[in-house]
Amino acid sequence: MPIDRSTPAVADLHALAIALDAWQRPDAPLQLHAGDLGWHARLGAETTAAALRVWRRDERPVAVGLLDGPGLVRLGIAPEAHDDAELAARIADDLHDPDAGVLPEGPAAVEARGADALLAALAERGWTEDEPWVPLVRDLAAPVEAHDLRIEVVGADADPAAREARDAVVAASFGAPSGRSERWVALESSPLAARAHSLLGRDGEGVPVAAVTVWSAGHGRLGILEPMGVDPAHRGRGHGRAICLAAAAALRDLGASAAAVATPSDNEGAVAAYRSAGFVAGPASRDLLRP
């Protein structure tokens, strides 16, 4: 059957998130998640829709790509289509050719974990491997152990001071400017907001030290952490482990079968924090770079 590619409208975001939910399986590689779309929605629902490319067969989505920054597309592919040579060739052609309307001219990369047929097709076109990322997954069959942070759920109706504290912690963790409250408002007003649960961690003295947002894909499916951070002024005290445990507990309460995250392999501090919270590292994966 012919494969069509399109850029969706804002009205399509909810349906695409449902499709991505169905592709999240604990026994499959971590790939594009509805939570990735939700986190991108802090830039606006219209911007997020414009950043998506959807490949459909018989009007049904079989692959979704998120243009997540200049020259990077992150892909989710239906599990039954991971070895589909026809789909792989179509996506590879679309990614390889700047005139196709997916990736612009210049340096470009694709994240397509588990999509072996697509990765092989790109390699045939001369794409090369980038630096490794490590996926980490924690099984949530058993209750999550206790930690020593006081956790607040920070939603759209939370106290403004708590929202500002969450914003400041996330900004400090990633070296970004704080005071971007409008981005959280955009996220919380998007069609994907119901999937997000944002947590703020305070130490024994009530100081905000860590924050995380978790994204559910529904009962029995893989949930993700995006983003997670500890204020640099409070690192080295076990707060990374504690906020990861809080995230895992929140996802378990939401019915997730496992909690997952991916981070660059050389980010030793983050990998150590996740491991200490019971996340198990899987085989490293690499993005591919267009020559």
Side-chain angles (χ1 to χ4, degrees):
M1 293 182 182
I3 298 169
D4 299 316
R5 193 196 74 236
S6 63
T7 298
V10 171
D12 300 319
L13 289 178
H14 181 65
L16 290 175
I18 291 174
L20 287 171
D21 286 344
W23 301 349
Q24 308 304 320
R25 301 179 181 179
D27 58 346
L30 176 62
Q31 59 175 349
L32 186 71
H33 193 280
D36 296 312
L37 274 58
W39 180 238
H40 197 278
R42 74 195 187 282
L43 305 178
E46 293 82 4
T47 299
T48 299
L52 291 172
R53 301 293 183 270
V54 183
W55 288 265
R56 289 183 169 89
R57 178 183 279 139
D58 195 24
E59 300 185 358
R60 184 175 64 89
V62 288
V64 178
L66 172 65
L67 301 174
D68 196 9
L72 170 64
V73 63
R74 303 175 62 193
L75 283 166
I77 297 178
E80 66 273 15
H82 277 189
D83 297 323
D84 186 319
E86 181 186 19
L87 177 63
R90 171 60 193 272
I91 297 175
D93 286 342
D94 287 346
L95 297 178
H96 191 67
D97 181 4
D99 293 333
V102 180
L103 288 167
E105 291 185 1
V110 61
E111 173 193 289
R113 301 187 185 105
D116 293 339
L118 173 59
L119 296 176
L122 290 171
E124 289 174 358
R125 290 159 176 78
W127 289 53
T128 57
E129 291 185 337
D130 197 3
E131 297 300 316
W133 284 63
V134 58
L136 298 109
V137 179
R138 173 171 173 140
D139 183 83
L140 298 178
V144 178
E145 54 268 38
H147 55 82
D148 59 1
L149 286 181
R150 177 162 60 87
I151 300 297
E152 297 177 48
V153 178
V154 185
D157 57 352
D159 180 80
R163 292 171 61 83
E164 290 175 8
R166 183 267 318 273
D167 177 24
V169 169
V170 173
S173 300
F174 293 94
S178 59
R180 295 184 175 183
S181 59
E182 73 281 356
R183 293 196 169 189
W184 289 99
V185 172
L187 186 158
E188 291 159 352
S189 62
S190 80
L192 305 164
R195 301 164 183 277
H197 287 70
S198 188
L199 310 177
L200 174 67
R202 298 181 184 270
D203 66 12
E205 298 179 355
V207 177
V209 295
V212 67
T213 299
V214 300
W215 300 85
S216 169
H219 186 80
R221 294 173 179 157
L222 198 68
I224 64 167
L225 287 61
E226 181 63 79
M228 184 282 289
V230 177
D231 189 317
H234 300 279
R235 290 176 181 168
R237 305 174 192 177
H239 299 323
R241 174 181 183 273
I243 199 68
C244 289
L245 288 173
L251 283 171
R252 189 173 189 271
D253 290 343
L254 292 168
S257 59
V261 68
T263 190
S265 296
D266 60 1
N267 189 348
E268 296 178 358
V271 172
Y274 293 126
R275 284 182 179 273
S276 69
F279 286 71
V280 178
S285 64
R286 294 176 183 266
D287 295 351
L288 291 187
L289 301 176
R290 188 174 64 195

